[in-house]
Amino acid sequence: MLSRDNRPKPGDSKEAITAWLAGSTKDERHAWMEHLTYVHIAESIKGLRLRDGLTQKQLSNGLRTSTSMICLWESGTYHGYTVTTLCKIAAFFDVALIMRFVGWPEFIAFTADGVMRVPAKFSADDLRKQTD
């Protein structure tokens, strides 16, 4: 079901998202995409932190930043990320960072999925098994 402000949210059906996009303006589409991107980044950071059993304080120490910055990053309202910061976070958690431009059909599929997946911890053995 579409959210109160009538913008799609993660987990809405592909049909509902497609219908909204078809009736939206370019500015509305891009504001929606930007909002979801920041929410996804926040959920990813929090998910990785929880995966590793870290407090915000421990993560802030590891990334040499303040606890209040970690809290802000995890809020979904922070819009000041740099690629350098995101790469630093990825390196800390030993995960890869993918940033790419996609068409609306792929974005719809990603959004309609609605599932926040936290990558597993890196394992060289698991990597070797996938390539064998």
Side-chain angles (χ1 to χ4, degrees), residues 104-129:
W104 287 109
E106 188 172 346
F107 192 77
I108 291 168
F110 176 78
T111 303
D113 179 342
V115 177
M116 175 55 213
R117 291 180 183 82
V118 175
K121 285 192 170 223
F122 177 77
S123 163
D125 289 337
D126 290 343
L127 188 60
R128 280 189 213 94
K129 289 176 191 173

Side-chain angles (χ1 to χ4, degrees), residues 59-70:
L59 179 57
S60 70
N61 289 341
L63 291 172
R64 298 176 193 231
T65 191
S66 67
T67 304
S68 60
M69 183 56 76
I70 301 299

Side-chain angles (χ1 to χ4, degrees), residues 37-98:
T37 298
Y38 289 121
V39 167
H40 181 73
I41 291 169
E43 289 177 353
S44 296
I45 293 169
K46 184 176 183 178
L48 288 165
R49 178 178 63 78
L50 294 175
R51 177 201 73 181
D52 288 3
L54 300 174
T55 64
Q56 288 181 336
K57 179 67 175 164
Q58 290 168 319
L59 179 57
S60 70
N61 289 341
L63 291 172
R64 298 176 193 231
T65 191
S66 67
T67 304
S68 60
M69 183 56 76
I70 301 299
C71 184
L72 190 58
W73 287 347
E74 292 183 358
S75 73
T77 60
Y78 182 70
H79 293 190
Y81 299 103
T82 64
V83 174
T84 300
T85 298
L86 295 174
C87 287
K88 184 177 172 182
I89 294 167
F92 179 84
F93 288 111
D94 196 14
V95 296
L97 174 66
I98 297 175

